[in-house]
Amino acid sequence: MTKIPDKSPAVIHTMFNMISKEYDFLNNLMSFGIHQNIKLKCVQSLDIKPHANVIDLCCGTGDIARLIKKVQPQSIVTGIDFSENMLEIAKNKSEGIQYFQGDVTNLPYPDETFDIVTMGFGLRNIHNAEKAVEEVYRILKPNGLFLHLDFGEKNFLSHIFDMVVPSAIKLFTENSLPYKYLIESKKAFPIPADLIKDFESKGFKLNKRLDFISGVISAQIMEKRG
Ligand SMILES: C[S@@+](CC[C@H](N)C(=O)[O-])C[C@H]1O[C@@H](n2cnc3c(N)ncnc32)[C@H](O)[C@@H]1O
């Protein structure tokens, strides 16, 4: 049976504050560095226009926000996360990006503020994911794009990942509990086809789907119906 992990905001907030210093290193290790390339391909697919107003939700250490600025230097980029320790790392690495601490289920922006909203490996960790998607919809301009990226298909390769990663991680960190959580949350997360249905039920339509590593990682680019 799939174990439902504890995603109460206090638990998730503490967990990411705790792992912030090793987050980038272990992410690179788990993915052999591929995650950067995947994030870049996703950002390139958005075809971001000059002066576009873009926000990266659950920005963590700022990977996606930085790629947005790199791909379209004339865009206005904001990153939001509730972990102050993850944000501190993001701030130290980035120039020309505004970072704010905040909860993505309750965003301090008026309706229809952004041309593009991105979220990588975030929704899976949010207790009230439905509210977060409603917030994405609310702050997007009509026909604006929402890029959602996370683990995808639960296929053979994905099961191998679930078996290998926890043992490998144990060699590099004293506290492997967050990585046990990672696998539990991955297993409990909807597959892309179901996620797309959930997004559609909130008023989005599918613009593009991108699959990486046989679908183990998957991105959905959703468009807010005008
Ligand atoms: C797995 S990390 C992803 C970071 C980054 N997007 C990446 O791709 O590397 C998930 C991030 O979501 C943040 N987060 C989780 N729930 C949140 C919430 N309700 N509001 C804001 N940030 C949240 C965590 O603090 C953490 O930094």
Side-chain angles (χ1 to χ4, degrees), residues 159-174:
H159 292 312
I160 301 279
F161 178 93
D162 298 348
M163 285 189 294
V164 171
V165 162
S167 328
I169 289 288
K170 269 191 197 147
L171 302 173
F172 293 91
T173 177
E174 281 169 10

Side-chain angles (χ1 to χ4, degrees), residues 14-225:
T14 306
M15 182 177 80
F16 281 103
N17 265 346
M18 206 171 67
I19 63 169
S20 60
K21 287 204 169 71
E22 59 189 21
Y23 179 82
D24 286 334
F25 169 73
L26 290 177
N27 243 1
N28 287 332
L29 181 83
M30 275 188 299
S31 70
F32 302 106
I34 295 172
H35 74 107
Q36 288 290 355
N37 201 29
I38 290 175
K39 287 168 177 167
L40 175 64
K41 286 209 168 100
C42 289
V43 169
Q44 284 170 334
S45 297
L46 291 167
D47 188 23
I48 306 170
K49 302 282 182 283
H51 312 296
N53 197 9
V54 188
I55 187 163
D56 183 34
L57 304 181
C58 299
C59 64
T61 56
D63 275 1
I64 296 177
R66 274 193 305 281
L67 287 168
I68 294 165
K69 197 70 187 168
K70 188 175 166 192
V71 167
Q72 179 45 272
Q74 293 190 65
S75 56
I76 302 148
V77 187
T78 305
I80 294 265
D81 201 287
F82 68 9
S83 158
E84 54 276 27
N85 293 359
M86 296 287 271
L87 278 178
E88 199 183 314
I89 294 170
K91 284 178 189 165
N92 285 337
K93 283 193 193 183
S94 325
E95 276 179 22
I97 299 170
Q98 288 207 302
Y99 288 105
F100 297 108
Q101 187 176 17
D103 186 335
V104 304
T105 63
N106 184 19
L107 290 165
Y109 298 104
D111 297 356
E112 304 184 0
T113 300
F114 295 96
D115 299 288
I116 295 175
V117 177
T118 60
M119 191 193 280
F121 304 92
L123 199 61
R124 178 170 40 82
N125 303 299
I126 300 175
H127 182 63
N128 193 348
E130 202 176 327
K131 182 70 184 10
V133 177
E134 285 165 8
E135 280 293 82
V136 172
Y137 187 87
R138 185 183 67 74
I139 63 169
L140 262 179
K141 293 178 187 171
N143 303 112
L145 296 180
F146 170 38
L147 161 70
H148 176 260
L149 169 70
D150 211 318
F151 293 104
E153 300 298 343
K154 300 181 202 310
N155 53 23
F156 178 69
L157 218 66
S158 169
H159 292 312
I160 301 279
F161 178 93
D162 298 348
M163 285 189 294
V164 171
V165 162
S167 328
I169 289 288
K170 269 191 197 147
L171 302 173
F172 293 91
T173 177
E174 281 169 10
N175 182 7
S176 56
L177 272 183
Y179 296 91
K180 197 166 164 260
Y181 161 83
L182 166 77
I183 303 300
E184 282 170 5
S185 65
K186 174 179 173 293
K187 286 182 179 169
F189 197 56
I191 57 168
D194 290 340
L195 264 183
I196 290 167
K197 278 188 209 147
D198 290 345
F199 294 149
E200 284 171 346
S201 75
K202 296 290 179 201
F204 290 98
K205 66 177 177 194
L206 182 65
N207 175 290
K208 204 181 288 174
R209 174 178 164 171
L210 302 157
D211 285 322
F212 306 94
I213 330 172
S214 304
V216 174
I217 306 283
S218 186
Q220 306 84 41
I221 298 180
M222 307 301 299
E223 185 178 329
K224 176 172 175 169
R225 287 178 191 279

